[in-house]
Amino acid sequence: MVPLSRLLSWMLRHEPHTVGLVLDTAGWVDVDAVLEVCRDRGFVVDRARLVRVVETSDKRRFAISDDGRKIRAVQGHSVPVRLGHPQQDPPPQLFHGTVERFLDSIRREGLRPGRRHHVHLSADPTTATAVGARRGAAVVLVVHAAAMAEAGHRFYVSPNGVWLTERVPPQFVEFPGA
């Protein structure tokens, strides 16, 4: 299921146009169109398997619409979408997993979304460690989220529990050993 999940991430978050998909303004696309692209790429997948991937994915990156006709990624887009996640007050601290080679840049510029719409933050250090470990030895940063919110920064929570914000200025980032 991992290769199918990766294909879905690529199609629904980053490159829908390269396979002929057109996301609506909220990131939704017709399930039948996604199934067709999957089959064209050699995946044996029907609606039931697609729903199973959405429902059993450990990262819960995707959602199926209430009527079952559309699918979308719930965060992480590099293409323009307005997901409509509700603004929420964050907990006092959130966490960000990264690797050593990015620390100097983060100290200077804070956390930036890169090609994505938002910086992704975790509610717990364990999840942040897993995220950082995808690129090497993980370094977990503490983000003083409540202080950011008090300073006017907005936070959103995706349905899979990922906290989102436009950027994290360096004064709100606590580095290990600091």
Side-chain angles (χ1 to χ4, degrees):
M1 285 210 216
V2 170
L4 179 56
S5 181
R6 285 190 181 144
L7 175 64
L8 291 172
S9 287
W10 175 71
M11 289 190 306
L12 300 176
R13 296 164 76 183
H14 306 297
E15 301 282 337
H17 59 282
T18 63
V19 292
L21 295 177
V22 178
L23 307 182
D24 71 14
T25 58
W28 294 104
V29 67
D30 187 72
V31 167
D32 290 331
V34 169
L35 290 172
E36 185 177 323
V37 170
C38 290
R39 285 191 290 267
D40 289 348
R41 297 214 168 250
F43 286 87
V44 179
V45 60
D46 58 12
R47 185 177 294 268
R49 180 166 180 228
L50 183 67
V51 169
R52 201 167 41 256
V53 167
V54 169
E55 291 175 348
T56 62
S57 167
D58 59 338
K59 295 182 182 176
R60 298 182 345 237
R61 286 187 173 137
F62 314 105
I64 302 274
S65 63
D66 291 340
D67 64 7
R69 291 191 210 163
K70 296 185 181 257
I71 185 172
R72 75 174 180 177
V74 298
Q75 98 277 327
H77 295 79
S78 58
V79 296
V81 292
R82 289 189 308 270
L83 298 172
H85 298 320
Q87 184 176 336
Q88 267 187 253
D89 290 331
Q93 296 179 330
L94 291 169
F95 304 89
H96 182 79
T98 189
V99 291
E100 184 81 28
R101 70 180 178 269
F102 298 128
L103 293 181
D104 287 340
S105 172
I106 295 169
R107 281 186 178 94
R108 284 190 315 275
E109 302 173 28
L111 296 167
R112 296 174 297 133
R115 294 183 352 204
R116 296 180 177 179
H117 294 247
H118 294 95
V119 172
H120 293 197
L121 302 170
S122 303
D124 62 87
T126 303
T127 302
T129 300
V131 170
R134 293 183 307 189
R135 295 185 174 198
V139 176
V140 175
L141 307 176
V142 176
V143 173
H144 296 285
M148 278 182 65
E150 286 175 22
H153 295 268
R154 292 179 294 199
F155 287 84
Y156 309 90
V157 182
S158 66
N160 62 348
V162 175
W163 284 85
L164 308 167
T165 191
E166 289 182 11
R167 65 181 289 274
V168 179
Q171 67 266 31
F172 296 107
V173 180
E174 182 180 319
F175 294 85

